[in-house]
Amino acid sequence: MLITGASQLLTLRGRVPRRGKFLVDIGIIRDGALLVRDGVIAAVGTRLEVESLPESRSAEKLDLGGRVALPGFVDSHTHLIHAASRAEEYELKIAGASYEEIARKGGGILNSVKKLRAATVENLKKRAHAALREFAAHGTTTLEAKSGYGLDVASELKILRLHKELSAEQPLDIVSTFLGAHVVPAEFRNKPDGSAQYIALLTDKLIPEVAGTELAEFCDVFCDRGAFSVSEAKKVLEAGKQHGLAPRLHAEQLTRSGATQLAVQLGAASCDHLEQVSKADIRALAKSNTVATLLPGCDFHLGLRKYAPARELIEAGAIVALATDYNPGTCPTMSMPMILSLACSQLRMSPAEAIAAATINAAYSLLRDHKIGSLETGKQADIAIFDVDDYREIPYYFGVNKCWMTLKKGQPVFQKAHT
Ligand SMILES: [Zn+2]
């Protein structure tokens, strides 16, 4: 297939990962074109260059009509599988209840756990399929998905198996993460040593089972007040590493716990949230290959007004990525363009920086930068096309969907209806 007519083709070619002043490099080709063969990019360049290739003459044509094309978004942090929204808590939060107050009343994550355990696989799958269609409709072509609303052996495995089934049944790639250490489940909370017993269940039973059956690539821990301590997180992540699961971490969201330092020590692929990071944490991230994944949708939805210090992280040289954190409690959105809008207006990232953070750096955090995250010869033809003249309009518009078409491995997975 020959794709022409891109007013701006954002290739995102260049150094990986992007740090500091290089984060703005998005490799724009004006009047750009792509040649796609068997789902892979065979050539990329200006229209004149690509059209002159012999293979282009016989190719099927797609004219983008002056729209903007870029790599499909890589959403590197989601909690895809859950049974229901928590709209009732949303109203309580607006009335002033804090996230932790709601959790203490049996709401929050434990509320989602109760509902997930009771849900059928069929219903969970139906809900996830609908969400995946929304992700595709907003330009996302690969997403990470975490377990963590099961918190017992059968329910965690139920979620992880769904990641695998969904990845096979629909076109978007799903990268699976085991988040058994989301919170301590209710049945362990009243026992003396309950949390130690639950961690032993994770390290001695669930992690070996999950790794042995290849149900996840990554292991994650929610390390914060009300969830797990740094020493507990270390136990879980080290057990994961021993079994070949690369670490990721929920760090410094509600309080500054020291989780970032742990992530760096363990060589974690990603350290996520970071609203409360210290200067020393920023320096540690800057010297490491651990990606600082920022999730401004959470702060927006919770009305917290304390966003992660993106500018300081970028200027120090940390590898910054952006993701939705799609989940029923703190960030019910599948829209990466909305996350880009928040990154620009609240985190003071430039549109180019936000796009690099949501594509190539996010791909790096999922250990997939060799396959996705940029439009270069040999990479998957995962492409998002926006109905705008200039890439800066992608974050500039908010609350409306400007995605016009999404291609996964060269095949359309979303196309806006003609109006
Ligand atoms: Zn999360």
Side-chain angles (χ1 to χ4, degrees), residues 15 38 45 57 100 132 134-135 171 186 208 255 257 284 289 320 340 354 358 372 387 397 410:
R15 64 176 72 202
D38 301 329
R57 250 169 274 146
E100 288 156 301
L132 288 162
E134 289 286 345
F135 279 104
T255 52
S257 67
N289 288 325
V320 170
L340 298 191
I372 56 173
D387 196 8
Y397 286 104

Side-chain angles (χ1 to χ4, degrees), residues 17 38 45 70 131 142 158 197 202 275-276 348 356 363 369 399 401:
D38 301 329
L70 68 156
T142 298
K158 172 162 93 174
Q197 283 181 38
L202 298 178
E275 285 83 348
Q276 316 288 340
R348 301 280 154 196
D369 49 290
N401 188 15

Side-chain angles (χ1 to χ4, degrees), residues 71-311:
F73 295 120
V74 178
D75 193 345
S76 56
H77 185 139
T78 86
H79 302 254
L80 176 66
I81 308 290
H82 50 265
S85 92
R86 300 210 305 257
E88 68 287 359
E89 291 177 15
Y90 181 53
E91 196 172 21
L92 292 174
K93 277 179 228 150
I94 294 165
S98 76
Y99 179 62
E100 288 156 301
E101 278 162 7
I102 289 168
R104 276 197 294 275
K105 286 180 192 150
I109 294 167
L110 290 178
N111 178 3
S112 288
V113 170
K114 208 186 288 172
K115 287 178 180 160
L116 185 130
R117 287 178 179 177
T120 64
V121 168
E122 195 187 18
N123 281 341
L124 290 171
K125 193 182 265 189
K126 204 169 135 199
R127 185 174 171 82
H129 268 296
L132 288 162
R133 285 193 292 275
E134 289 286 345
F135 279 104
H138 290 83
T140 296
T141 47
T142 298
L143 62 147
E144 184 258 17
K146 303 176 195 293
S147 68
Y149 292 123
L151 308 186
D152 62 30
V153 174
S155 310
E156 283 294 299
L157 294 177
K158 172 162 93 174
I159 299 171
L160 295 170
R161 285 193 198 105
L162 270 171
H163 291 165
K164 205 172 221 178
E165 285 174 32
L166 287 162
S167 213
E169 282 172 16
Q170 56 76 55
L172 305 193
D173 283 321
I174 297 171
V175 180
S176 182
T177 295
F178 175 58
L179 178 61
H182 202 180
V183 290
V184 176
E187 62 274 21
F188 282 83
R189 291 197 169 207
N190 304 323
K191 294 183 188 173
D193 276 346
S195 116
Q197 283 181 38
Y198 182 62
I199 286 169
L201 174 75
L202 298 178
T203 56
D204 302 349
K205 183 161 172 60
L206 259 165
I207 287 174
E209 169 107 24
V210 167
T213 49
E214 294 183 4
L215 285 175
E217 283 177 52
F218 294 97
C219 183
D220 195 342
V221 177
F222 184 17
C223 183
D224 217 316
R225 188 172 67 203
F228 293 92
S229 69
V230 170
S231 65
E232 290 170 330
K234 188 164 184 243
K235 276 189 197 135
V236 175
L237 294 177
E238 278 179 344
K241 247 180 119 166
Q242 249 171 31
H243 287 88
L245 303 177
R248 313 183 79 77
L249 203 53
H250 283 67
E252 333 292 2
Q253 180 188 9
L254 307 167
T255 52
R256 199 246 156 214
S257 67
T260 302
Q261 301 287 343
L262 175 68
V264 170
Q265 270 169 34
L266 292 175
S270 183
C271 185
D272 302 28
H273 280 293
L274 306 175
E275 285 83 348
Q276 316 288 340
V277 275
S278 70
K279 298 245 183 276
D281 296 336
I282 293 173
R283 280 197 297 275
L285 281 167
K287 276 192 239 145
S288 77
N289 288 325
T290 297
V291 177
T293 301
L294 310 184
L295 310 166
C298 283
D299 309 296
F300 173 76
H301 181 74
L302 296 173
L304 292 180
R305 296 187 186 88
K306 174 148 171 88
Y307 289 88
R311 284 260 56 91

Side-chain angles (χ1 to χ4, degrees), residues 361-384:
N361 276 2
Y364 177 81
S365 95
L366 295 180
L367 315 178
R368 277 166 172 71
D369 49 290
H370 57 293
K371 278 207 294 203
I372 56 173
S374 65
L375 301 178
E376 293 177 274
T377 306
K379 282 198 166 180
Q380 270 176 215
D382 291 2
I383 307 166

